[in-house]
Amino acid sequence: MRVSRRGGGVRTAWLAICLLASIGLAHAEAPPTPSTLWKDLFVRVENARLYPDSKTFADAIPKQTPGSILADFDRERPADDKALADFVAAHFDIPGTPDTTAPAGPTLPLRRHISALWPQLVRPAQESSPGSSALDVDFRHIVPGGRFRELYYWDSYFSLLGVVRDGHADLAKDMVDGFAGLIARYGHIPNGTRTYYLSRSQPPVFYLMVGLLSPRDPAVAYARYLPALQAEYAWWMRGAEGLRRGHAARHVVRMQDGALLNRYWDADDHPRDESYVEDVALAAHSSRPPKILYRELRSAAESGWDFSSRWFADGHDLTTIETTAIVPVDLNSLLYGMERAIADGCRHRREQACAHLYTQRAAQRRAAIQTWMWNTGDHCFYDYQWRKHEPTQRLSAATLFPLFVGVADTRQAAAVAGTVRRSLLMPGGLATTTVATGQQWDRPNGWAPLQWIAVVGLRARQQPDLARDIACRWLATVGRNYEREHKLVEKYNLESGAPAGGGEYPLQDGFGWTNGVTAALLDDYPHCGSSAGGARPPASRTGDANSSTPGAPT
């Protein structure tokens, strides 16, 4: 989309963005999800718990056409669970359980092990089978591992941190092209490449992936992918035009002072196909209307933090989840970064009205984050409960996102660093929150993407000592577990140093973003990694050393 350079260009450009957002549904029609397609058969299989993981049947591949299978089901009506299991086995190919067996015998140093893992996590372009929940994927891509057999949105950026450092720029380019294709097809990047993920996205890190393609001058890549960046931004901003103060529409919230900020929000309000039994069981133990609860759960899944005390009204109980009532500091920081990236891309293309518009939008968002989320007394950025008109006052690692994108000034960064040292720094790295609820995105668990955001943000905002401390503690945690278990996992217990628990599913091995972040930190802090398998092998990477992350404004 090109914008006018004449008088009124900014207003014209913003109206064009709103128009693009309003026609977002004109993209490819979303195929049916498994629960919609298989109806009573889906409900029976899930309620019978034929498989321990609700995701298993949601990912099954039918052996005949859906119409034929449903006709057989109506005719046979399996009388019990055994008959139902026999029916499913006859009519579907069920995905197998991932092999989590660690290699026997001697292992490579950790950095070399990560370099050798990428081919195991790469998948070719894939065409989905009729009736399958899989979406067509027209490009090579990295999967996280374990039960996560498909492409995931925000995981991919953190995986690519290692991919590009190991010399696979061609794979990164394929994935960025592919994500741009998903935006063109659906209007946004879905949570993952499954039909049941199309109703939501994930933290908007596409611009960061684009920046990895041109590390010395990210604006070059932003200009090349400008239509895709603008289209994704328009999707996140749908509903903004005409929104009244103190109200929300889709992902957009108009604050009391008129500022626009964003929230996580899912378009659907029924149980998640991939967690059907868990959602239905939770609704049965809650006094809330099920549809409201289901949308809140889905919206938290869009955040990537599923689940965390960040989203709970009482700070402890999942049944009180209120994701759509919260304006998250991490989401709005990333959208600020996206606005800055689009402005840089427009400027590179000499589209001055466009550059001015997005620069203005970024400045407005930065001011809103400062107004509504910065807490001077507690020295941190909080999420904001827009319905109650108050900060949540629940400290989490999200407080570091404003440092990562450049919203925080150096004074705030120093204050945040002090808060992090006092309340979030643990023996094994950066904690996710300060409370233990049994949810996987709470204390004592640590996650690779949050370590990266913290390290880069602190380093960029003149807090190198804490950045190094977090990096070294994380590398020691991953390194010790690798020496013991000979593998990497999706999350770690930062108190015990062991693989973490909690959440809706067992701990997953693999694991794409742990590999990518650990590789990048080993490269940037090689002396920390001496006990964790050492830095990368010199011959394994063709790129140049870069202690910052392309695409993260500094």
Side-chain angles (χ1 to χ4, degrees), residues 479-499:
R480 282 193 294 267
N481 274 277
Y482 176 67
E483 291 172 357
R484 189 168 56 244
E485 306 286 344
H486 310 310
K487 58 188 177 183
L488 287 82
V489 296
E490 63 170 339
K491 60 195 175 192
Y492 294 85
N493 183 315
L494 301 184
E495 285 179 345
S496 68

Side-chain angles (χ1 to χ4, degrees), residues 192-537:
T193 49
R194 293 280 177 184
T195 59
Y196 51 75
Y197 287 143
L198 277 171
S199 61
R200 61 179 179 267
S201 186
Q202 274 195 321
V205 294
F206 176 61
Y207 82 93
L208 291 169
M209 288 188 271
V210 171
L212 291 174
L213 302 185
S214 182
R216 290 187 177 86
D217 187 2
V220 174
Y222 297 151
R224 189 182 315 139
Y225 291 91
L226 192 58
L229 290 166
Q230 289 176 304
E232 184 185 28
Y233 181 74
W235 184 85
W236 281 99
M237 299 307 296
R238 283 184 65 194
E241 186 71 5
L243 186 62
R244 291 182 297 158
R245 297 185 180 198
H247 288 74
R250 299 180 64 87
H251 290 94
V252 187
V253 179
R254 179 82 68 177
M255 306 299 284
Q256 291 295 322
D257 63 352
L260 284 175
L261 289 171
N262 288 74
R263 63 177 179 171
Y264 290 112
W265 183 85
D266 191 297
D268 287 342
D269 60 2
H270 54 265
R272 293 169 294 157
D273 287 34
E274 74 279 14
S275 300
Y276 180 86
V277 173
E278 292 80 2
D279 287 1
V280 170
L282 186 69
H285 287 86
S286 170
S287 59
R288 303 170 68 187
K291 285 183 175 294
I292 292 177
L293 180 63
Y294 295 148
R295 191 187 298 277
E296 300 297 344
L297 293 169
R298 287 172 161 272
S299 301
E302 182 175 66
S303 79
W305 292 49
D306 46 336
F307 294 105
S308 169
S309 57
R310 283 182 72 189
W311 316 124
F312 304 165
D314 69 354
H316 296 280
D317 188 349
L318 180 58
T319 62
T320 70
I321 190 168
E322 56 173 9
T323 317
T324 63
I326 293 172
V327 174
V329 64
D330 48 355
L331 172 60
N332 284 282
S333 295
L334 290 171
L335 286 170
Y336 168 82
M338 186 193 297
E339 289 161 343
R340 287 272 305 273
I342 295 173
D344 287 347
C346 294
R347 198 170 294 112
H348 187 83
R349 291 170 61 154
R350 299 183 180 179
E351 297 182 8
Q352 299 307 321
C354 170
H356 178 62
L357 167 68
Y358 285 98
T359 299
Q360 184 181 68
R361 300 296 298 169
Q364 291 169 344
R365 189 181 298 274
R366 183 180 188 275
I369 293 172
Q370 292 283 358
T371 296
W372 297 102
M373 299 180 183
W374 172 247
N375 190 291
T376 303
D378 291 347
H379 307 296
C380 66
F381 291 90
Y382 284 133
D383 300 323
Y384 193 83
Q385 220 286 9
W386 65 270
R387 291 190 180 122
K388 295 179 180 177
H389 312 297
E390 62 186 21
T392 63
Q393 294 188 305
R394 289 192 284 274
L395 179 65
S396 76
T399 194
L400 289 149
F401 276 75
L403 282 66
F404 178 76
V405 300
V407 164
D409 59 33
T410 53
R411 175 186 57 82
Q412 290 172 323
V416 169
T419 300
V420 168
R421 278 202 179 276
R422 288 190 300 272
S423 303
L424 290 174
L425 188 63
M426 298 184 68
L430 177 74
T432 308
T433 67
T434 63
V435 296
T437 63
Q439 299 297 334
Q440 62 176 351
W441 286 85
D442 275 322
R443 196 181 190 95
N445 290 354
W447 295 80
L450 301 182
Q451 314 302 311
W452 180 253
I453 296 295
V455 169
V456 173
L458 289 163
R459 194 165 58 198
R461 301 273 81 80
Q462 301 177 26
Q463 297 296 320
D465 292 342
L466 181 56
R468 180 182 179 83
D469 198 358
I470 291 171
C472 289
R473 292 179 188 223
W474 175 258
L475 291 174
T477 297
V478 176
R480 282 193 294 267
N481 274 277
Y482 176 67
E483 291 172 357
R484 189 168 56 244
E485 306 286 344
H486 310 310
K487 58 188 177 183
L488 287 82
V489 296
E490 63 170 339
K491 60 195 175 192
Y492 294 85
N493 183 315
L494 301 184
E495 285 179 345
S496 68
E504 300 178 292
Y505 54 83
L507 180 75
Q508 300 298 298
D509 297 337
F511 194 84
W513 64 18
T514 305
N515 303 339
V517 168
T518 301
L521 292 178
L522 281 167
D523 288 359
D524 290 354
Y525 297 95
H527 298 296
C528 291
S530 59
S531 64
R536 62 166 178 83

